[in-house]
Amino acid sequence: MTNDLQSWGRFPLATRQTPRALSWQTDAIPASGTSLLPYGQGRSYGDSCLNENGTLITTHSLDRLLDFDAATGVVRCEAGTTLETLLKLTVPRGWFLPVTPGTKFVSVGGAIANDVHGKNHHRAGTFGRYVRRFELLRSDGSRKVCSPEENPDWYEATIGGLGLTGLILWADVQMRPIHNPFVITETVPMADLEDFFRISRESEQDYELTVAWVDSLALGRRLGRGLFFRGNFAPPRFDGLPLVKSHLSHGSALAVPFNLPGISLNWLSVAVFNWFFYRANLLRRGPRLQHYDPFFYPLDKVHRWNRVYGRKGFFQFQCVVPFSTAREALREIMERSARDVPSPLTVLKTFGDTPSPGWMSFPRPGVTLALDFANRGERTMKLVAELDHLTRQAGGAVYPAKDAGMSPENFAAYFPQLERFKSYIDPAFSSSFWRRMNP
């Protein structure tokens, strides 16, 4: 047994998991007397990547690049390949990820299983839309090649299926063309929540990439005050500019060397950080040229940044609420969280109406809010449960990949195709999250 393989939020801790590596596509799923779950890079925040008292099939060695068509941008890779590896291969050849989350240190298998989204959801939708084919290995030894045309039901169940339908061996991913590795970005100050909606409407017409940072401690009439970041990939006239290696986070040596004291994240430290972050970025209000790495992956520059939250870990709560209820619901959620446990990082983004092929995919039209909370035990669990309740009242949903506190009843309400999905789960597969949702 080992407790080395944890989630990024490091809560809950899994202390009794047995890792079994799968290194080759020809390997059989390791024999086990317990339940099985694929484990890639462990970048899910809650317990969806954990399997307490079970077996984790680790895919770190299943990380080979198998084929790349530089004319069409389709890359075939094994499921343990990270997004960082794909970028190193494709960006110099004029291709970029069609959709990327806020970290590139995730596996392709994990990106499919959680149907990740990014700053361009209002234009591009989710990662699953660009997965052309993949092969699924079941615990009985059967293998299925899945695509919109071949085994389409298994394709739709596996995208966003939390790793429960079997083990993805390889996938074909359609990359998107770019001229160079730069983004033209602009920072726009937001006075309040209504300003966020106004700037979002204006920006989404002309900008492919949008996201907002919110000062979580700005309340009352200032609630929603923050910074709106928007951008587009740079046109050809910026081709050939020299790169500054220090801007690339995969070359960064910065790291948090140990767990910081839990008391270090409090009202005062969050207020000081927010003050400096807001004013520093106000200096960058005009359009500027930026390498893709710090724009898409600012947190990746500091490795093991999750240690900032202390040894007890942290919760990330991410919800989406419909546009029709968003103003009232977001105000209530942000005010409730600010009164209790301050969030050092609060992010707002709109989701578009492009549907995902995955039955269990989280994004849907509306506004998504992400909050981080240092783990203060029962106090934080109570807060997360209340935010889960407020989300359901607003007709929204909570992201399973970030969750450590939603109720089984709300999970069923958030995902109306749940019963259909259950019939595609591999009988030998399970997770701590799945058992929590099905007590």
Side-chain angles (χ1 to χ4, degrees), residues 355-407:
S356 165
W359 299 337
M360 298 293 290
S361 185
F362 161 72
R364 58 207 69 187
V367 183
T368 182
L369 169 69
L371 302 154
D372 286 357
F373 304 115
N375 181 14
R376 302 286 188 262
E378 190 62 33
R379 174 184 174 186
T380 314
M381 287 291 293
K382 180 181 177 183
L383 171 62
V384 171
E386 290 180 12
L387 302 187
D388 180 34
H389 176 69
L390 292 173
T391 300
R392 183 174 177 184
Q393 279 189 324
V398 170
Y399 193 15
K402 305 286 184 72
D403 178 66
M406 84 168 89
S407 72

Side-chain angles (χ1 to χ4, degrees), residues 43 61 116 166 208 252 367 393:
R43 285 296 180 125
S61 298
V116 296
E208 179 181 355
S252 171
V367 183
Q393 279 189 324

